[in-house]
Amino acid sequence: MGSQGSDGDVDKQKQKEIDNWLPITSSRNAKWWYSTFHNVTAMVGAGVLSLPYAMSALGWGPGVVILVLSWVITLYTLWQMVEMHEMVPGKRFDRYHELGQYAFGEKLGLYIVVPQQLVVEVGVDIVYMVTGGKSLQKIYNLAQPNGKPLKTTYFIMIFASCHFVLAHLPNFNAISMVSLAAAVMSLSYSTIAWAASVHKGIEKNVEYGSRASTTPAKVFNFLSALGDVAFAYAGHNVVLEIQATIPSTPAKPSKGPMWRGVVFAYIVVAMCYFPVALVGYWVYGNKVEDNILISLEKPTWLIIMANAFVVIHVIGSYQLYAMPVFDMIETVLVKKLHFKPSTMLRFVSRNLYVAFTMFVAITFPFFGGLLGFFGGFAFAPTTYFLPCVMWLAIYKPRRFSMSWFANCICIILGVLLVILAPIGALRSIILSAKTYKFYS
């Protein structure tokens, strides 16, 4: 009996050592403002620059409603995630799939959450590889208007090179400075985008009608734009992992500081999104480009600066979305395949991941359209209704109560998104694939 007890203790000690090594659970001394800039970095993507273009497909009324509604719903589902992190006394759900396993059962929880979370996190990382590379290319083209034209491939490789270094920062707290820089940058380039547009003033003969002439094209554009706006709020995939870094005691649970951080983050997100979307559409109407910085054109130095800010921001975002993936890879290697936790293991596995995302980005630079398509199946659930389904499964609120209604409405809207958004994205993939050449 004694030997069994000591075996159990050894196992527990071993698990504790592994947890202290894994990126999500190794450091629990984050301050509340860490959660602010981690959340801003996770949520404000370079996608903010395409919001005016989405507005031009949606029109004033639906556009404003969808922007505001997305902001409110995702703030509500984020609050649910923060609340559920420690709803079982003495236990913390440090990862999205752990919460899923508690809500839906050990096996089913894994099958529901992990594939969706991986699609989102790996997908976002690949898109950021493309975004970073293309922003570097824009900087080069603006700085060297008569220079030799270089392939996007080379710029994606240049962008990837810094991740081969940064990927070896062990955990979330180690990347907090990178994340802070990224959050400041996202606010900076958003401000440049709308302030420079205001300074430029409304274009002559501006029109606010739909850019498409045929009804089917209008409908497809509307659905595609719906996806663009909805996926602008997608920080939920890393929120439990961020909260896991905040210290917690029964008297002072982590949800207090985490929620304060989230509220501040959402105020910053509103300061980035609403002015860019509304001012950009107001100034350029339906002639706005899918990246508002292209519509600005001049002054060159300002656009170079804004693109540089985009590059720094997506460097931080890439690391933030990669961290839970590193955690999953390292958990499988150490707990399932029984590798010894070591620096070498981390070095090899993380470099392979960065190389993989770089390769896919180089092969499919129109990956943004692909993400709208796959994202529709993964972004919408993990952000809009999976938290609500878990909430209903765990707390079982009374039928027809306020909480029951709120969750059901979010679930219905989320399911509609899953069905409608990929349709618009599929059309844009088909259009861009027509003219596409590999490794051009």
Side-chain angles (χ1 to χ4, degrees), residues 52 60 193-195 197-198 274-285 292:
W60 279 117
W194 68 261
S197 298
V198 169
F274 294 114
V276 173
L278 303 175
V279 169
Y281 183 40
W282 173 68
V283 169
Y284 301 106
I292 187 172

Side-chain angles (χ1 to χ4, degrees), residues 214-287:
T214 62
T215 308
K218 281 180 189 171
V219 173
F220 279 123
N221 287 354
F222 186 90
L223 295 179
S224 190
L226 187 72
D228 287 349
V229 175
F231 308 140
Y233 303 92
H236 296 52
N237 288 281
V238 288
V239 68
L240 291 176
E241 286 81 352
I242 293 169
Q243 194 169 346
T245 62
I246 293 178
S248 181
T249 59
K252 289 180 88 175
S254 65
K255 67 182 181 188
M258 181 66 186
W259 178 240
R260 190 186 317 160
V262 167
V263 170
F264 272 94
Y266 256 73
I267 292 167
V268 175
V269 167
M271 283 161 60
C272 290
Y273 284 12
F274 294 114
V276 173
L278 303 175
V279 169
Y281 183 40
W282 173 68
V283 169
Y284 301 106
N286 60 14
K287 299 275 190 298

